[in-house]
Amino acid sequence: RRHWSADENNNEEATSKTKTTPGAWTLTTLDNGMVSEEKWTIIDAMDDLSWCVLHYSGAARRAGQSYVGALLCTSDGQWPESCRSGEGLERIRKAFEKCDLELWELFGGSTEQSYMWSKKFTNWAEENPPPLDRIGDISITSWRKKERERALKEQES
């Protein structure tokens, strides 16, 4: 199989220059004038993609800061039902071990519940899904301005 990050023209020279690696990517962000660069890697994922463990390491070089971490990602933010014990739990534990983390170091929950998402929040999130429509070739600032103006017009009518 070919990974989505592979060079379209199968040009080995171009691929080696861009250094694409399946399951790994680099994200950069600009936050208050500071550029952060993060390297993300898929550590493990269930075959049906019901969960995955991602590792990241990043740095804000100008600030002299670096950080690492890992995430257990599921569609609902809850610990996967099939991984509360047995082989599934052990598989997730081993994935975090590859990130030099123990399960007791995780923030936000346990195999029993998520501390990140209260019932109040999950109810709100279900009623207010994120807007996933494409915004086109405009900046996020322009898009937000347009959305504010639209909301004001709705309030006036």
Side-chain angles (χ1 to χ4, degrees):
R1 293 194 277 183
R2 288 181 46 81
H3 187 266
W4 60 266
S5 65
D7 179 55
E8 287 293 317
N9 300 320
N10 204 16
N11 181 340
E12 286 184 32
E13 183 178 319
T15 303
S16 65
K17 283 182 184 176
T18 58
K19 297 180 183 176
T20 57
T21 302
W25 60 99
T26 301
L27 303 174
T28 56
T29 58
L30 180 61
D31 183 11
N32 291 325
M34 194 70 60
V35 176
S36 293
E37 182 178 296
E38 296 180 347
K39 301 210 181 295
W40 286 77
T41 309
I42 299 171
I43 302 301
D44 196 358
M46 193 68 174
D47 290 342
D48 66 0
L49 299 180
S50 59
W51 64 264
C52 69
V53 173
L54 304 174
H55 177 266
Y56 61 89
S57 62
R61 291 188 187 119
R62 286 181 57 206
Q65 296 178 337
S66 64
Y67 49 90
V68 296
L71 301 170
L72 171 62
C73 301
T74 62
S75 63
D76 63 2
Q78 302 294 320
W79 196 276
E81 189 69 38
S82 64
C83 299
R84 292 180 187 254
S85 62
E87 290 179 19
L89 178 60
E90 185 62 15
R91 183 172 170 184
I92 289 175
R93 189 194 64 72
K94 286 182 178 182
F96 278 104
E97 189 176 78
K98 289 177 184 177
C99 304
D100 290 326
L101 289 169
E102 297 294 329
L103 292 183
W104 60 265
E105 295 178 280
L106 299 180
F107 172 79
S110 69
T111 58
E112 301 304 316
Q113 65 178 342
S114 170
Y115 307 126
M116 299 293 287
W117 314 119
S118 67
K119 196 65 173 164
K120 182 180 176 182
F121 174 79
T122 55
N123 289 341
W124 175 87
E126 285 177 20
E127 293 170 10
N128 299 280
L132 298 177
D133 298 331
R134 295 183 59 87
I135 64 172
D137 291 335
I138 61 173
S139 70
I140 191 71
T141 304
S142 298
W143 176 81
R144 285 183 180 142
K145 180 181 178 196
K146 190 170 96 177
E147 287 296 301
R148 279 192 303 272
E149 290 169 354
R150 184 183 58 76
L152 283 172
K153 283 182 184 177
E154 285 178 6
Q155 283 179 349
E156 291 171 358
S157 27

